[in-house]
Amino acid sequence: MNPRLDPRKAPRQDRSRRTVERILAAAARIFDEDGYAATTTNEIAAMAGVSIGSLYQYFPNKDAILVALGRRHVETVAAGLTDLLGGVEPDADLRAVVDVVVRFLVDQHAHDDLHRLVAHEAPRTPELVAELDRARVLLVGFASELLAGRLPAGADTELVASMMVAVVDAGVHDVIIRRPAGPARDAAIALTVATAGSLLTVTPPDCRARVGAARRSGE
Amino acid sequence: MNPRLDPRKAPRQDRSRRTVERILAAAARIFDEDGYAATTTNEIAAMAGVSIGSLYQYFPNKDAILVALGRRHVETVAAGLTDLLGGVEPDADLRAVVDVVVRFLVDQHAHDDLHRLVAHEAPRTPELVAELDRARVLLVGFASELLAGRLPAGADTELVASMMVAVVDAGVHDVIIRRPAGPARDAAIALTVATAGSLLTVTPPDCRARVGAARRSGE
DNA sequence: CACGAATCCGAGGGTAACTCGCATCCTGGG
DNA sequence: CCCAGGATGCGAGTTACCCTCGGATTCGTG
């Protein structure tokens, strides 16, 4: 219950539930069009057809509106992943699972521009960073569950899961931001899947052999 | 020459050069301690022992101060990388090069907390996003140069370079933020290197085989 | 020293986040 | 139906902070 980010109070009647919806819809739109920093809470209230006072009745500050949008997004994605991963058979090919997951995420973000907003334009106060990290932990949990007992002996499941989430996140992000639909996008998706898949068999080769370039003083 | 971010004018005399230094030093400290959003330009000026007017003589706005810090950081890293990569012999083991690069980056960030600030707490106006992307392009350039002619036939060098940068970035970030020095950190570094190294030999296996879990309606 | 350029200064203007007291609407018990 | 109390809505006003501007001060140079 973070008073800096959590809703001030829950809407109880239908009327106020609609108010909150209108505020969130307006915010999503204006944030996306003008960027977070450039949109004012007054604009949001105006576009929502709501007074500024009503807005602050439910959200303690501007960040809280962003967080509410972000949480919805995370919930949607988490639900989708639960659905996808729930039916994985014990002997399924994990690379194929990763492939499905990556495509799911890309699809998801095609329908919901919140990703760009949250990952790209959000201001990062300490509170928002913590909020983002909560989502990350959730995803690492999913991955750990998926990987449990399927990695080479001696591998650190949490570490590999963490890296896998990072790779998938970076790959999906790259795809969404920089690879327009088409062959380029397909190649980027394939590479993301291949890279994440390679984590299933890594055994760090402990390659400490010094490279010729390591000519830093005294080396 | 972005008037929203570039310095308003360059300091010509020693006095003003020192003023700019003091402003940047104060800003780095307060940004890091209190977070970007919570620090005011008046605080920065006060801690720098400079009037608010002098601050705005050189920086058009708060973001510009952050950008100046970020650019210095990028310059330092780029110089270090140029130094490291300049001497790579044509037949060097690229995995070892990646290992050296990753360790260099981790070291670099141990001495310079700017990473956390720029990557983690900076607000992202469209201008700042563009600025960050310039740094990314620079790094992808480094990687492309390194990879040129060394990938399996048919591989898209730019794409692989882009993914490699993303993996290294994510790995280094993870190490800095979440892996305290010790065996945990070493393992995370090794995994980062191994993952990036795996990119040297990827041939996307085109694994379209459907997983058992793909039970979405109509699939 | 004189003069122009560079630098410094800080009160104050403007904008946008956020508050507060009151009006209006809804709900449930009598 | 009526009323009391809670829920909701409102928007002018307060506040905080970014940034400007015009004038004072210092520096470099002939």
Side-chain angles (χ1 to χ4, degrees), chain B residues 55-95:
Chain B
L55 186 153
Y56 280 97
Q57 197 95 36
Y58 299 102
F59 301 97
N61 52 56
K62 199 165 86 160
D63 283 356
I65 303 175
L66 184 66
V67 166
L69 288 171
R71 284 185 181 158
R72 289 196 166 190
H73 183 243
V74 169
E75 271 171 35
T76 306
V77 169
L81 285 180
T82 301
D83 187 38
L84 272 183
L85 299 181
V88 170
E89 288 157 17
D91 59 346
D93 175 7
L94 286 195
R95 281 161 211 271

Side-chain angles (χ1 to χ4, degrees), chain A residues 28-212:
Chain A
R29 171 148 173 215
I30 311 187
F31 282 162
D32 193 49
E33 283 177 7
D34 299 351
Y36 181 86
T39 91
T40 73
T41 50
N42 291 284
E43 273 179 284
I44 295 172
M47 159 139 326
V50 160
S51 103
I52 187 62
S54 296
L55 186 153
Y56 281 97
Q57 197 94 37
Y58 299 102
F59 301 97
N61 52 58
K62 201 166 86 160
D63 283 355
I65 302 175
L66 183 67
V67 166
L69 288 171
R71 284 186 181 158
R72 289 198 168 190
H73 183 243
V74 169
E75 271 171 35
T76 306
V77 169
L81 286 179
T82 301
D83 187 38
L84 273 184
L85 299 182
V88 171
E89 287 157 18
D91 59 347
D93 175 7
L94 286 194
R95 282 161 212 272
V97 174
V98 171
D99 184 87
V100 170
V101 166
V102 168
R103 286 168 197 281
F104 164 76
L105 291 174
V106 170
D107 263 17
Q108 194 64 209
H109 291 119
H111 297 315
D112 181 353
D113 266 353
L114 240 41
H115 173 87
R116 191 164 22 130
L117 189 60
V118 171
H120 226 122
E121 270 200 29
R124 311 292 180 88
T125 64
E127 286 88 1
L128 285 180
V129 171
E131 190 66 26
L132 271 187
D133 200 56
R134 286 186 43 201
R136 200 194 61 85
V137 168
L138 186 70
L139 294 176
V140 171
F142 275 120
S144 291
E145 208 170 322
L146 193 65
L147 295 178
R150 290 157 167 273
L151 292 179
D156 177 342
T157 304
E158 190 275 339
L159 177 62
V160 174
S162 177
M163 178 63 78
M164 181 171 276
V165 168
V167 167
V168 170
D169 182 65
V172 169
H173 182 81
D174 184 74
V175 165
I176 293 167
I177 300 292
R178 274 182 292 272
R179 314 288 170 186
R185 167 164 291 194
D186 294 336
I189 290 177
L191 183 58
T192 300
V193 172
T195 307
S198 79
L199 283 166
L200 299 171
T201 52
V202 278
T203 2
D206 221 340
C207 56
R208 298 295 176 83
R210 281 320 185 197
V211 65

Side-chain angles (χ1 to χ4, degrees), chain B residues 14-219:
Chain B
D14 261 7
R15 183 169 46 140
S16 52
R17 265 190 289 275
R18 261 179 282 126
T19 297
V20 169
E21 286 314 311
R22 307 233 307 275
I23 292 170
L24 289 176
R29 171 147 173 217
I30 311 189
F31 281 162
D32 193 50
E33 283 177 6
D34 299 351
Y36 180 86
T39 90
T40 73
T41 49
N42 291 284
E43 273 180 285
I44 294 172
M47 160 140 323
V50 160
S51 104
I52 187 63
S54 296
L55 186 153
Y56 280 97
Q57 197 95 36
Y58 299 102
F59 301 97
N61 52 56
K62 199 165 86 160
D63 283 356
I65 303 175
L66 184 66
V67 166
L69 288 171
R71 284 185 181 158
R72 289 196 166 190
H73 183 243
V74 169
E75 271 171 35
T76 306
V77 169
L81 285 180
T82 301
D83 187 38
L84 272 183
L85 299 181
V88 170
E89 288 157 17
D91 59 346
D93 175 7
L94 286 195
R95 281 161 211 271
V97 174
V98 171
D99 184 87
V100 170
V101 167
V102 168
R103 287 169 198 281
F104 165 76
L105 291 174
V106 170
D107 262 19
Q108 194 64 211
H109 291 118
H111 298 315
D112 181 354
D113 265 353
L114 240 41
H115 173 87
R116 192 163 21 129
L117 189 60
V118 171
H120 225 121
E121 271 199 26
R124 312 293 181 88
T125 65
E127 286 89 1
L128 285 180
V129 170
E131 190 65 26
L132 271 187
D133 200 56
R134 285 187 43 201
R136 199 193 61 85
V137 168
L138 186 70
L139 294 177
V140 171
F142 276 120
S144 290
E145 208 170 324
L146 193 66
L147 294 177
R150 291 158 166 273
L151 292 178
D156 176 343
T157 303
E158 191 276 337
L159 177 62
V160 174
S162 176
M163 178 63 78
M164 182 172 275
V165 167
V167 167
V168 169
D169 182 66
V172 169
H173 182 81
D174 184 74
V175 165
I176 292 166
I177 300 291
R178 275 182 293 272
R179 315 288 171 183
R185 167 165 290 195
D186 294 336
I189 290 177
L191 183 58
T192 300
V193 171
T195 306
S198 79
L199 283 167
L200 299 172
T201 52
V202 277
T203 2
D206 220 341
C207 57
R208 298 296 176 85
R210 282 322 185 194
V211 65
R215 54 183 171 77
R216 301 182 63 72
S217 60
E219 180 78 359

